[in-house]
Amino acid sequence: MGKLFGTFGVRGIANEKITPEFALKIGMAFGTLLKREGRKRPLVVVGRDPRVSGEMLEGALISGLLSMGVDVIDVGIAPTPAIQFACRHFGTDGGAVITASHNPPEYNGIKLLEPNGLGLKKEREAVVEELFFNEDFDPAQWYEIGEVRKEDIIRPYLDAIRSRVDVEAIKKRRPFVVVDTSNGAGSLTLPYLLRELGCKVVSINAHPDGHFPARNPEPNEENLRGFMKIVKALGADFGVAQDGDADRAVFIDENGNFIQGDKTFALVVKAVLQENGGGLVVTTIATSHIIDELARQYNGEVMKTKVGDLIVSRALIEHNGLVGGEENGGVIFPDFVLGRDGAMTTAKIVEIFSKSGKKFSELIAELPRFYQVKTKRRIEGDRHAAVERVAKIAGQRGLRLDTTDGTKILLEDGWVLVRASGTEPIIRIFAEARSEERAKEHLNLGLELLEEALKA
C-alpha cells in the first residue's frame, strides 16, 4: 500500500497528483473514519488558501465529506491558523485545509485536523490512508447526506488575537509597519489586524491571487529583496512578510535588513519567559542556539524535536510547553492555535516593539550573538539515504553527531545540519557559529560531506 501523508498533510502538483478525484476520496476516507469512531453526525470545518486550484479541490473534498453523512462548515479563503482556530471555535470533530503553504502556485495540498486544530495524529492518518487506498467507504443513505453552511472565521480570529496583546501600549507608540502578504490568505487578515491594533500600515501584494503574481510565496531573503528596499525607503519601523497560507511571519528591520526567523522567535521566547517567570520552550533541531542561551538567562527549559510544526505542537501539548517555534518564522502559541500562526506572531512582536521604546534593530542586537547560514541542493534520488551516508562518513571522521532528524554535526563553536526535506526533492544544509566566517566554514563542511555521500 502507498503512503499519502508527509510531515503534515499531502502536497503535489494540482490536477496531476492533487486532483478532484484525489480530494473527493480524502473527504470520503476522513468522513468514514469519523463515523466509524462513533460520531453519528460528524461536523468538519473546511477552508483554503487562494490558490487557483483551491476552489476546485475544496468542492471535491466537501462533496466527499457530505456523501459520508458529515456536516461541513465552509469558511472559504482563510489563513491556515484561522482554520485551525475554527475547530475549537465551532466545536467541530475535525477540520481540513486546502493549501500548499509556501510552495509555488502550481502546487496544492490537503491537511487534516483534530478537533482541537492540531494536525491529525499519525495513527488516524494511517487509517485514512488504508480507507483511501482500499476505497473502503461508508456512504450515507440519501436522507442522511451531510449539509454545508458557510461561516466567517476571520472576524472571530482577529478579535481573539487582539484580546491577547496590550493594544493600548501599541496604540501609544503607533508603529509604522509595511506588510507583504504575498497575495496569499494573510491578505484578508494581517493588514486589518495591524490597523486595528493601532499601527500605521502600508500593505503591498495584499489582494488574494492564487497566481502569486508579485513574488514566490516562500518568504526568504532572496524573494524579499524588493520588499526590503521598500521598508527602508518608506522609513518604516519594520516590515513583515508572509507565505501563501499565512502561518509564518518574517521580519525586516528599519534598515531594510532581513531578520532570520530564529531571531524573531527568540524575541517572543524572551518576552514569554519573562512574563511567566520561566517555562518550557519547544523547538526543532534546526533552530538557533540563541534559544538555549535565552532559556539559561530567563529560567527556561528547551526541548528539541524533529523539524515540523506538527511535531513541535504535539510536544507542546504533551509536555505543557509555553511557546514553540521553528527557524523559518513559524511561532506556536499552544493555548491559542496548535500550529504556526503568522498573525499572532506579528501581534506579539508589535507588542514587544511598542513596549520596548527601542528600534527593531536594537531589539535584535540585544539577543545572544550567533550567525546562521543556509543553502540547499536539489536531489532527485533517495535523499534520505544520502543524508544517512553523510552521518556514516562524519562518524568515520570522528565527528560528534545528533541524528534526531537528519545529520547534525556538533562542533566546538557551532553546528551544521544536513537534512532531507519532507515536502520537496531537496536536501537542506544549515550551519551556525559565533562568527559569520566560522558559520560559512561549517556550511562548507556540510556541503563537502554531502558531495562525498552522493558519490558513494
Side-chain angles (χ1 to χ4, degrees), residues 54-334:
E55 188 172 18
M56 168 187 79
L57 296 171
E58 183 184 43
L61 180 78
I62 288 175
S63 292
L65 289 165
L66 298 177
S67 71
M68 297 299 111
V70 176
D71 289 332
V72 172
I73 297 174
D74 178 8
V75 296
I77 298 175
T80 291
I83 300 164
Q84 292 177 284
F85 170 82
C87 290
R88 284 173 168 168
H89 181 73
F90 293 119
T92 68
D93 296 302
V97 189
I98 312 293
T99 181
S101 188
H102 63 274
N103 287 103
E106 65 269 24
Y107 282 80
N108 216 327
I110 300 170
K111 295 179 176 181
L112 300 179
L113 307 174
E114 297 283 349
N116 61 4
L118 187 65
L120 208 62
K121 292 177 182 175
K122 290 297 176 188
E123 303 81 18
R124 300 181 79 212
E125 272 190 354
V127 176
V128 171
E129 286 181 350
E130 186 176 0
L131 295 170
F132 178 95
F133 287 111
N134 292 336
E135 299 192 358
D136 179 16
F137 308 129
D138 290 346
Q141 298 290 329
W142 68 267
Y143 51 85
E144 294 177 329
I145 289 170
E147 298 176 354
V148 60
R149 74 177 194 266
K150 294 185 183 294
E151 294 279 1
D152 171 51
I153 195 56
I154 301 297
R155 185 73 263 157
Y157 172 66
L158 295 183
D159 288 345
I161 292 174
R162 286 174 57 209
S163 72
R164 297 173 59 83
V165 294
D166 189 340
V167 179
E168 290 309 310
I170 297 168
K171 285 182 176 178
K172 189 174 180 181
R173 185 162 187 190
R174 197 169 181 249
F176 176 15
V177 186
V178 185
V179 179
D180 177 357
T181 50
S182 76
N183 303 111
S187 303
L188 301 177
T189 50
L190 194 59
Y192 304 97
L193 171 67
L194 289 172
R195 282 197 187 90
E196 290 174 13
L197 290 176
C199 299
K200 176 185 176 183
V201 181
V202 169
S203 55
I204 65 170
N205 308 324
H207 61 283
D209 186 333
H211 293 93
F212 300 118
R215 65 167 172 86
N216 185 302
E218 170 73 7
N220 58 28
E221 187 169 5
E222 180 183 347
N223 294 332
L224 295 178
R225 293 201 185 280
F227 180 60
M228 292 156 64
K229 292 176 182 176
I230 291 171
V231 173
K232 183 178 180 181
L234 290 176
D237 288 310
F238 57 90
V240 57
Q242 293 195 297
D243 58 343
D245 70 334
D247 65 348
R248 288 156 58 193
V250 172
F251 291 80
I252 310 299
D253 74 12
E254 76 278 5
N255 300 312
N257 295 316
F258 181 88
I259 307 301
Q260 295 282 1
D262 310 69
K263 294 182 179 179
T264 45
F265 174 42
L267 290 179
V268 174
V269 167
K270 182 179 176 180
V272 170
L273 288 177
Q274 287 177 310
E275 291 163 5
N276 291 274
L280 176 65
V281 178
V282 181
T283 190
T284 76
I285 197 166
T287 303
S288 173
H289 284 193
I290 292 173
I291 306 303
D292 303 72
E293 290 277 335
L294 289 172
R296 279 191 282 272
Q297 291 177 27
Y298 297 102
N299 195 34
E301 185 184 344
V302 179
M303 172 181 285
K304 299 282 180 74
T305 71
K306 290 184 176 183
V307 172
D309 67 306
L310 181 53
I311 298 167
V312 174
S313 297
R314 284 181 180 144
L316 283 165
I317 295 235
E318 290 169 10
H319 301 279
N320 196 30
L322 272 179
V323 66
E326 299 181 285
E327 48 71 37
N328 59 10
V331 182
I332 302 160
F333 301 84

Side-chain angles (χ1 to χ4, degrees), residues 34-50:
L34 295 174
K35 284 175 66 178
R36 290 186 184 176
E37 287 176 337
R39 296 170 177 83
K40 264 192 171 181
R41 188 81 175 184
L43 178 64
V44 171
V45 63
V46 179
R48 62 185 175 93
D49 70 21

Side-chain angles (χ1 to χ4, degrees), residues 282-419:
V282 181
T283 190
T284 76
I285 197 166
T287 303
S288 173
H289 284 193
I290 292 173
I291 306 303
D292 303 72
E293 290 277 335
L294 289 172
R296 279 191 282 272
Q297 291 177 27
Y298 297 102
N299 195 34
E301 185 184 344
V302 179
M303 172 181 285
K304 299 282 180 74
T305 71
K306 290 184 176 183
V307 172
D309 67 306
L310 181 53
I311 298 167
V312 174
S313 297
R314 284 181 180 144
L316 283 165
I317 295 235
E318 290 169 10
H319 301 279
N320 196 30
L322 272 179
V323 66
E326 299 181 285
E327 48 71 37
N328 59 10
V331 182
I332 302 160
F333 301 84
D335 59 338
F336 181 56
V337 169
L338 288 169
R340 299 181 304 207
D341 192 334
M344 184 65 234
T345 301
T346 303
K348 188 65 181 176
I349 292 288
V350 169
E351 179 193 60
I352 292 165
F353 173 83
S354 298
K355 287 182 171 181
S356 74
K358 297 173 182 175
K359 293 180 179 179
F360 201 91
S361 60
E362 291 172 343
L363 289 174
I364 298 298
E366 289 175 351
L367 295 169
R369 187 63 59 89
F370 285 89
Y371 293 87
Q372 194 174 102
V373 288
K374 308 175 184 181
T375 190
K376 59 188 177 184
R377 278 282 311 273
R378 188 173 183 87
I379 305 293
E380 297 299 340
D382 189 340
R383 54 191 186 275
H384 295 282
V387 171
E388 288 173 7
R389 288 196 294 273
V390 169
K392 184 177 179 182
I393 295 165
Q396 289 169 348
R397 292 191 187 185
L399 297 168
R400 283 195 305 140
L401 302 178
D402 183 337
T403 55
T404 299
D405 189 1
T407 298
K408 187 173 186 178
I409 300 162
L410 305 170
L411 303 161
E412 191 174 329
D413 62 342
W415 51 270
V416 58
L417 173 67
V418 182
R419 179 184 171 274

